[in-house]
Amino acid sequence: MALGPASLEIATLALAFLVLAWDLIEPARESAGRRGGLYALAAAGLVLILLGSERVPLPGSLTDAFVLDPFALLVKRILLATALLAVAGLHAHTRARGIAWRSGEALVLLLFATVGGMALVSARELLTLFVAFELLSLPLYVLTALEKERRTAAEGAIKMFLFGSVSSAVLLLGIALLAAGTGTTFWMRVAAWPHDPIVRLGAALVVTGFGFKLAAFPFSLWAPDTYQSAPAPVVAFLSVAPKAAAVAALFRLVFEMFGPAGIPVGSWIAVLAGGTMLVGNLLALRQRDLKRLLAYSGIAQIGYVLAALAAGTRLAAGLSLFYFVAYLAANAGAFLVVAAMEAAGEEPTLHGARNLVRRSPVLASSMLVFLLSLGGIPFALGFWGKMYVFLAAADAGLWWLVTIGALLAVVALFYYLTIARWMFIVRDEGPALTVPAPLAAAIIACAIVAGAGGLIPQRFAEPALRAVDAMTNSSSR
Amino acid sequence: MRDAAFWSLSVLLLGAAAAVVTARSLIRAAFALAGSLLATAALYLLLTSPLLAAVQVLLYTGGVLTLVVFALVVAGANEPAARFRKPLPAGMLALAVFAALASAIGTLPAGPGVGGLESGRDVGLALFGDYLVPFELLSVLLLAAVFGALLLARRERAS
Amino acid sequence: MTHILSATLLGPLLAAAAILALPARAARAIRWVSVAGALVPLAGSLLLLARYDPRAGGFQFLETVPLIPEIGLAFRLGVDGIAVPLVFLTAIIHLTSLFVSWSLAEREKEFFLFIALLVTGVYGVFVSLDLFVFFLFYELAVLPMYVLIGIWGSSMEIEGRGPFAALFPKIGVGRKEYGAMKLTLYLLAGSAFILVGIFLLWVEGGRTFDYATLAAERLGVGVQRSAFLLFYVGFGVLAGIWPFHTWSPDGHAAAPAAGSMMHAGVLMKLGAYGVLRLGFGLLPAAGAELAWLVGGIAVVNIVYGALAAGRQTDIKYLIAYSSVSHMGIVMLGMAALNEPGLSGSVYQMVAHGVMTALFFALVNLVYGISHVRDMTAMGGYAARMPGIATFFVLAGLSSLGLPGLAGFTAELLVFLGAWTSSHAWWLIPALIGAFVTALYVLRAVRTIFLGPLEPARSSGLRDARGAEWVGFAILGGALVLLGVWPRLLLRPLNAGVGELLMRLGG
Amino acid sequence: MTAPALLLVASALFSIGLFGVLARRHAIAVLLSIELMFNAVNLAVVTVAWSRGWLAGVVLALFGIAITVAEIAVGLALVLLASRMPGRVLLDELSELDG
Amino acid sequence: MLPLALTVLAGPLGALALIGLVPPLRRSGRPAAFVAIAGTAVALMAAAALAAPFVTAAPPAPAAFELVWMPLGTVPAIPFGLLVDGLSASMAVLVALVALLVQVYSLAYMAGEPPSSLGRYFAYHALFAFAMLGLVLAHNLLQTYVCWELVGLGSYLLIGFWFDRPAAGRAALKAFWTTRLGDVGFALGIVVLWSAAGTFTFAELFAKASSGAIAGGALTLGMLGIYAGAMGKSAQAPLHVWLPDAMEGPTPVSALIHAATMVAAGVYLMIRVAPLLALTPAVAEAVFAIGVATALLGASMALVERDLKRILAHSTVSQLGFMMAAVGSGGAAAAYFHLLTHGFFKALLFLAAGSLIHAFHTNDIFSMGRAVRAMPVTSACFAAGALALAGILPASGFFSKDEVLAAVLAGGHPVGFAILVGTAALTAFYIGRALLIALVGAGSGASREAHDPPPAMTAPMLVLAVPALAFGIAGPTVSRLVAAPEEHAPVVVPILGTLAALGGAAAAWVAFRRGALEIRARGPLAPLIRALERRWYLDAPFEWGYRVLHAGVFRGIAWLDRYVVDGAVNALAWGTWGAAGRLRAIQNGRVQDALYAVAAGLVLLAWLAWGA
């Protein structure tokens, strides 16, 4: 039993332990320079893993519980990239807030969560799925409260924790019910799916559990509060990685379990998608806190992906992957901009973004790119992403979803444009903002992907579509 | 005999659970929880799994109870005047969830169980065979939990 | 394979990139780069006019770059006889809008950047032969207007009556933020319908976005009908069809000169072009079946727009409502579904584009000079701004259909088409609209320019100057040229319209 | 003693726990209720294992117990953190973030 | 012939382009004037050369020339062309001649204008001359319409020439709007005829119509439309209301546009399409009836007018009614003859009036007086014109009016004939009144120093006086020009006409021989006189209509748009905003309330799973 298929997880774990070791043996806890080394180590390690991910043999599997196919690999790369961005953000954030001595723990927890997400997309067995699900949650509860001196830190974390715990319980119950119907947690081993209500109920409970991770309405109510209270770099990770992993895992479930079992999960998810788009977009309209606004916007964005998930086709899976690349760049980028604002001592609100174009042209223009991408405006990458998921939904005949999605995307522009207005049109004075170099580099990288990437969408779409082809080929028995 | 044990244990379990969610005193609630966990352990015995029963009693009940009592001491029980907030909608939702679960469970065939979960060795083999990956992940998870709890709970000098 | 079309697209795009690279201080360089970016497509459009072969017909100057074959998406460019005149129109207005904005002295870099982006989108729509790329450019063309209005626009709050007295200030009716947001969101809401329509065609038409393939596809009547209605509503919003036109007055009134020139002059045509190209062109059966609707609404537009314009005292609103009325003529010609009607429809797109661009340029200049938008507070301006008055009268005469100017040629063709269509009665309201146009346009001329000039109002008034003259002269010259030499555009147009009619008939 | 009966008991336990989560005001009481829910789920898992002779169910239950402990540890830590702000152990008091 | 015809147009067009496109020339004033005059002179010479062959005993065949203006794919192209026949060539001479004289006259009359205004004035003149000549030479209906509108534009610009006078702006608007109202019909008529016949060209239209290829209904509708256009331009009741107000323009303009040429364009058009009119008797009846009514109406309003120019304007309305009556009764030749003589004598009258106004600085005849002695040339010219207008032998008006009356009688309209004879008497009366009061009487302005104008003004008057007096002998030639058979009217007609004219003149002499005499609105005739002074209250419906349109319809639609159509948009936006606000209640910050959502979502999904 070669460990090759899990090599990325193992490497990331190894990196985590390296960071931990460095953190433990480092003598001077207050030294900023050394902390920089810690972050450099984490970043370099993540970059190396990302580069190494090119060489992983495909496809492979570890027992029957764990598979590495191109689909999983692509999502893992998304997760690793998200983690890398969060590392850059945390560097600036911990220094600015004077909590640099927590850097080691923060990075380790971040890497653990990354491992959880990576395992989640490879899981082909319910127990593995569940543990990976937990591993993606638990470190994040802690990370959201990283800045624990903040009044609201515990509040946001507790809210997430309660939702997460209840969802975990529900997910586990769903797994139990599925097992009650089939007698195994290895869904690939099920030869003939029974048409029991218990199996369908189990599927419903599993979807409910994943609803928390996706922050899909009505399981999304924790997200705005948590995002608002959590450090922005953590939110950059929190708003992308769990969602990407959860969507990927759900796609796998749809293809390999719900599909063969004849459970119409798609139609349930369509309902969730409609509600999620609607509520996310409406609630985002009147927000003034940027993190909160982006939280709702993220909920809305997930609604669009759920439309593709509801379609449940191979095309939809590929295009969703594409979507997540765009979403990663834009959403994580936007939260990093907020992180930069916070790190520079500016409040993360609309008012704080006033006249940003004068105060920090880099932040303002990057943020504009992110907003355009999130808003689905050509030629940003997000434009293609949004069009693609709608196309996937249309392809599956979900016309009502496409229609309300397209219309709500217009409502969304209201708040995206409102941010843009504060940054570019409002002329109130404010201090100039300086951005630490690593964070600036991360933001600019995101902006380049989200902006210039839109000029070459095929570069992103082709691998995504090919990855899906490979996955369904390997799994079609 | 087994049925009688099952029913009485079930009543005990649910009674203790009701006490957990209704007890005015948190300490009492904690001990009620311990009771319900122990009742569950007994049920596990009935379900032919002494291993689980042992783990339940030793690790779970003991660990959880210790943690909770410790937390109550540190945080202060600080009992509110009223235990409940809006118990009626909460109860109705809980009932609805129960109804949803029960309606599916009701369709299951009612037969005696197969049992045969006694072998600890088989469990160990499964753990290192089919379930190696989750087991490894679980170890990371536990590490993360320890780590996280420490990070959150330790008191630091403000810098 | 020529690259005229990609050059046309790249001109403004590269100009945008260059502007982005230039420092904000270098306002003069930025202006000239913009002009250079406008001259490239102008030259391209002239080449198209000269080299488009009406005998061969069809789409010419084709270029294709595959993008995502899995979903039938490629970067396909090409123009037919209908698109050629519209590219020409865009080029003219693009160039003149720069000249008219020559004296703008606030955040020039961003201004010219957004203009370049906007106009790239417009060219893109007219030359793309892939529905998705079409849509992409369409959205690109719509959005920069938000910034243009938001930063360089003007506000004039409107007081609500009765129960609206409290509501209007809350919504901010009349403020530029309101106008910008309303325009943007309304148009993009329309584009949501277009998107659904395009996807519908993709799903039903063999999973491709290729115009030619879809055109060859035999789509069911039901699908055609749904898609046609989606396109009609979606594009119709931008074309200002009643009752989806109300973004136009509020938006155009708030916009700066170049913004409303581009928007009313060209972008509204995008909407009409979309209905013509994707609606009637791709869905001939539904087009023929639903022409009664298009024509009926068009007639409402003509009369309603003119009547609403009659009451306006804000000059910008007046012009905006006149656009609503004139876009009705465009749609009416289309709905006539015959040769004069369709030719007239496209001709009116060009004619109205030039005319309304000239109008908005003048009106904004008058506003810039006098800081007054309310006509009733004007009077006698001809004494101080004879040049502006002359061009205003010229534009006004074109808008009321005076022969010898572009508007007449278009209206004549549309009227001929309307009467010989299957709904001859459409002509009557159209004529009434033309008459009402004479009422409000000439009333505006009188109120603004004629009469005695009160000394209190005369201070600071001046005529146009410098580059502004160039802009006005080009637009005015175009009005006359298109009025006396319709052959210029009708030559390619006849080819395009002929093919469209073949499809509609067959 | 049948599987449905056991599962019904587990469901009841789950619902009681859920009620506690929704209705109790004290944060630690809510944590206790979550324990009840996890316990219910574990009971269900073991029931399924027992009813089908499915040994892996025991593994699943073991994992469930472990994860529950981990959860409760982090949860209690969070409650402790919250309680450092005077008196904030009632969940309703943790409502600064809204809208 | 073609080069000549093109030269006719090229002269004024060249002048227009030169003045219009070379701003320094326009601003220089007098040089621009000379350019315009030169252009018109060229046109006059070319027109004369063009017309010369047609007055010979053996006129050449009409020549047509056309090129494609708007190519259309399968539908026949829309042409642009010239038609040279006796009618158009001779009319071109009249237009060019009067235009030239008026322009020369304006040199002196407008001498006080600043140079740039003068340049603008002559640019307008060149535009007008070009458009009018184009109208005359047009070989198809569409081109007629094109030039028709341009002529209207020239009129609009020239009426409003003194744009800083509010009254001028208002009058220009009124003129444009009223004629435009008629043009709506004209446009409709053209379109209808096109769709029925597939052509705009006169010759083809006539051929198709006479062969019955055009449906009767379409032909009637088309002709009605065309006549509507003619009503507007030629000031037929009730669309005559703009013409008196148009007198706000400079007087030479009135002479050219609102007396001799443009207002006659409607009559010219009806003469042009006379073959079609002959096929639509109902329309012809209407033309006749409205013509007669207009003649009487105009004359009656002139009776009490105090403003000299307005008297002439009313008179123009009345005379146009005469012409239309003739056209309507099939007497195109008579109408054309009267059109020509009227062109001469009315232009003469206007120029003379301009001279008087120039001298007395007023339009009010009661403020003039004793001009006979102070301004002998002007007075003589005015008298010559008045003689022709009154239709008193041997002036030209006698002959042409004679033919008109004869045509009406021959057309079988004895009642109309009687009315027109009566109107002829009124004509003599009102022009006699004006002449006696302004030239002979001792009004308040009589004492002022007034004298004849400079030669630039007197020369055109004198030139015009010749045809005004002597053109009557050209009657047969004119008939030949329009290719109409010469008809000999019964002897009773000239006798009755002359009696009426003399009677009217005598009455005027009796009433006004002692000079100024205020008209007293008393006695039994008072309501009638008041009605006349108010122009039969015919302006009121238009004003009322406009007011209703503006304050009612416009306002209503604007209200509808702002509060209903757009109101729905605002309501949607506001509603969304409000809904977003209300929806925030679900995020009240209390985590357990939020957890309800999880439980509810679970139930929802379970229900979906159960139901599916």
Side-chain angles (χ1 to χ4, degrees), chain B residues 64-86:
Chain B
V64 165
L65 203 61
T66 316
L67 272 175
V68 168
V69 172
F70 171 73
L72 281 173
V73 170
V74 173
N78 216 355
E79 302 284 339
R83 286 161 290 175
F84 294 120
R85 60 191 302 285
K86 307 184 205 166

Short mmCIF file of all heavy atoms in Angstrom, two decimals, chain B residues 64-86:
data_model
loop_
_atom_site.label_atom_id
_atom_site.label_comp_id
_atom_site.label_asym_id
_atom_site.label_seq_id
_atom_site.Cartn_x
_atom_site.Cartn_y
_atom_site.Cartn_z
N VAL B 64 -15.89 13.76 29.79
CA VAL B 64 -16.81 14.87 29.61
C VAL B 64 -17.20 15.47 30.94
O VAL B 64 -17.22 16.70 31.11
CB VAL B 64 -18.05 14.38 28.83
CG1 VAL B 64 -19.16 15.39 28.93
CG2 VAL B 64 -17.70 14.12 27.40
N LEU B 65 -17.49 14.61 31.87
CA LEU B 65 -17.93 15.12 33.16
C LEU B 65 -16.84 15.96 33.81
O LEU B 65 -17.11 17.05 34.31
CB LEU B 65 -18.30 13.94 34.07
CG LEU B 65 -19.26 14.30 35.18
CD1 LEU B 65 -20.55 14.81 34.58
CD2 LEU B 65 -19.51 13.09 36.07
N THR B 66 -15.61 15.48 33.73
CA THR B 66 -14.50 16.24 34.30
C THR B 66 -14.41 17.62 33.65
O THR B 66 -14.32 18.64 34.33
CB THR B 66 -13.19 15.48 34.06
OG1 THR B 66 -13.41 14.11 34.36
CG2 THR B 66 -12.09 16.06 34.91
N LEU B 67 -14.44 17.58 32.34
CA LEU B 67 -14.32 18.84 31.61
C LEU B 67 -15.42 19.82 32.00
O LEU B 67 -15.18 21.00 32.27
CB LEU B 67 -14.40 18.57 30.11
CG LEU B 67 -13.09 18.25 29.40
CD1 LEU B 67 -13.37 17.89 27.95
CD2 LEU B 67 -12.17 19.46 29.47
N VAL B 68 -16.63 19.29 32.05
CA VAL B 68 -17.77 20.18 32.31
C VAL B 68 -17.69 20.76 33.71
O VAL B 68 -17.87 21.97 33.91
CB VAL B 68 -19.09 19.41 32.10
CG1 VAL B 68 -20.24 20.23 32.63
CG2 VAL B 68 -19.27 19.06 30.65
N VAL B 69 -17.40 19.94 34.63
CA VAL B 69 -17.34 20.43 36.00
C VAL B 69 -16.22 21.45 36.14
O VAL B 69 -16.40 22.51 36.74
CB VAL B 69 -17.16 19.23 36.97
CG1 VAL B 69 -16.89 19.75 38.38
CG2 VAL B 69 -18.39 18.36 36.95
N PHE B 70 -15.11 21.12 35.49
CA PHE B 70 -14.00 22.07 35.52
C PHE B 70 -14.44 23.41 34.93
O PHE B 70 -14.20 24.48 35.52
CB PHE B 70 -12.84 21.47 34.71
CG PHE B 70 -11.72 22.43 34.47
CD1 PHE B 70 -10.86 22.79 35.49
CD2 PHE B 70 -11.52 22.97 33.22
CE1 PHE B 70 -9.85 23.67 35.27
CE2 PHE B 70 -10.49 23.86 32.99
CZ PHE B 70 -9.65 24.21 34.03
N ALA B 71 -15.11 23.34 33.80
CA ALA B 71 -15.55 24.58 33.16
C ALA B 71 -16.51 25.34 34.05
O ALA B 71 -16.46 26.56 34.16
CB ALA B 71 -16.21 24.25 31.82
N LEU B 72 -17.40 24.58 34.71
CA LEU B 72 -18.38 25.26 35.57
C LEU B 72 -17.67 25.97 36.71
O LEU B 72 -18.05 27.07 37.10
CB LEU B 72 -19.37 24.24 36.12
CG LEU B 72 -20.46 23.83 35.12
CD1 LEU B 72 -21.29 22.69 35.70
CD2 LEU B 72 -21.34 25.03 34.81
N VAL B 73 -16.65 25.35 37.18
CA VAL B 73 -15.91 25.97 38.27
C VAL B 73 -15.22 27.25 37.79
O VAL B 73 -15.27 28.29 38.42
CB VAL B 73 -14.88 24.98 38.84
CG1 VAL B 73 -13.95 25.69 39.82
CG2 VAL B 73 -15.60 23.84 39.54
N VAL B 74 -14.59 27.12 36.62
CA VAL B 74 -13.84 28.27 36.13
C VAL B 74 -14.78 29.40 35.71
O VAL B 74 -14.60 30.57 36.09
CB VAL B 74 -12.95 27.86 34.94
CG1 VAL B 74 -12.30 29.08 34.33
CG2 VAL B 74 -11.90 26.87 35.41
N ALA B 75 -15.79 29.04 34.92
CA ALA B 75 -16.64 30.09 34.38
C ALA B 75 -17.66 30.57 35.40
O ALA B 75 -18.23 31.64 35.25
CB ALA B 75 -17.35 29.58 33.13
N GLY B 76 -17.89 29.74 36.42
CA GLY B 76 -18.93 30.10 37.35
C GLY B 76 -20.27 29.66 36.80
O GLY B 76 -20.59 29.94 35.64
N ALA B 77 -21.00 28.95 37.61
CA ALA B 77 -22.26 28.40 37.11
C ALA B 77 -23.20 29.52 36.71
O ALA B 77 -23.89 29.43 35.70
CB ALA B 77 -22.89 27.50 38.16
N ASN B 78 -23.20 30.58 37.51
CA ASN B 78 -23.88 31.80 37.10
C ASN B 78 -25.28 31.55 36.56
O ASN B 78 -25.62 31.93 35.45
CB ASN B 78 -23.04 32.49 36.03
CG ASN B 78 -23.12 34.00 36.21
OD1 ASN B 78 -23.87 34.48 37.07
ND2 ASN B 78 -22.34 34.73 35.43
N GLU B 79 -26.07 30.89 37.38
CA GLU B 79 -27.37 30.45 36.91
C GLU B 79 -28.27 31.63 36.56
O GLU B 79 -28.42 32.56 37.34
CB GLU B 79 -28.06 29.64 38.01
CG GLU B 79 -27.27 28.45 38.48
CD GLU B 79 -27.34 27.31 37.49
OE1 GLU B 79 -28.29 27.31 36.68
OE2 GLU B 79 -26.45 26.44 37.51
N PRO B 80 -28.88 31.60 35.40
CA PRO B 80 -29.83 32.66 35.08
C PRO B 80 -31.14 32.42 35.80
O PRO B 80 -31.42 31.31 36.23
CB PRO B 80 -30.01 32.51 33.57
CG PRO B 80 -29.73 31.08 33.30
CD PRO B 80 -28.74 30.63 34.34
N ALA B 81 -31.92 33.47 35.91
CA ALA B 81 -33.19 33.35 36.59
C ALA B 81 -34.09 32.38 35.84
O ALA B 81 -34.80 31.58 36.44
CB ALA B 81 -33.87 34.72 36.70
N ALA B 82 -34.07 32.46 34.52
CA ALA B 82 -34.91 31.55 33.74
C ALA B 82 -34.01 30.62 32.96
O ALA B 82 -33.00 31.02 32.41
CB ALA B 82 -35.80 32.34 32.78
N ARG B 83 -34.38 29.34 32.93
CA ARG B 83 -33.57 28.37 32.22
C ARG B 83 -33.76 28.47 30.70
O ARG B 83 -32.86 28.24 29.93
CB ARG B 83 -33.97 26.95 32.63
CG ARG B 83 -33.54 26.54 33.97
CD ARG B 83 -34.36 25.35 34.43
NE ARG B 83 -35.74 25.72 34.72
CZ ARG B 83 -36.68 24.86 35.04
NH1 ARG B 83 -36.44 23.59 35.07
NH2 ARG B 83 -37.91 25.28 35.30
N PHE B 84 -35.03 28.74 30.36
CA PHE B 84 -35.39 28.58 28.95
C PHE B 84 -35.59 29.91 28.25
O PHE B 84 -35.93 30.92 28.86
CB PHE B 84 -36.70 27.79 28.82
CG PHE B 84 -36.56 26.38 29.29
CD1 PHE B 84 -37.34 25.90 30.33
CD2 PHE B 84 -35.64 25.53 28.70
CE1 PHE B 84 -37.23 24.61 30.76
CE2 PHE B 84 -35.53 24.23 29.12
CZ PHE B 84 -36.32 23.76 30.16
N ARG B 85 -35.37 29.88 26.98
CA ARG B 85 -35.78 30.97 26.11
C ARG B 85 -36.74 30.34 25.12
O ARG B 85 -36.48 29.31 24.54
CB ARG B 85 -34.58 31.57 25.39
CG ARG B 85 -33.86 30.52 24.55
CD ARG B 85 -32.55 31.00 24.05
NE ARG B 85 -32.65 32.20 23.26
CZ ARG B 85 -33.11 32.21 22.02
NH1 ARG B 85 -33.53 31.11 21.45
NH2 ARG B 85 -33.15 33.33 21.35
N LYS B 86 -37.86 30.92 24.94
CA LYS B 86 -38.84 30.47 23.93
C LYS B 86 -38.92 28.95 23.83
O LYS B 86 -38.55 28.36 22.82
CB LYS B 86 -38.47 31.03 22.55
CG LYS B 86 -38.27 32.51 22.52
CD LYS B 86 -38.01 32.94 21.09
CE LYS B 86 -37.22 34.23 21.02
NZ LYS B 86 -36.68 34.48 19.70
#
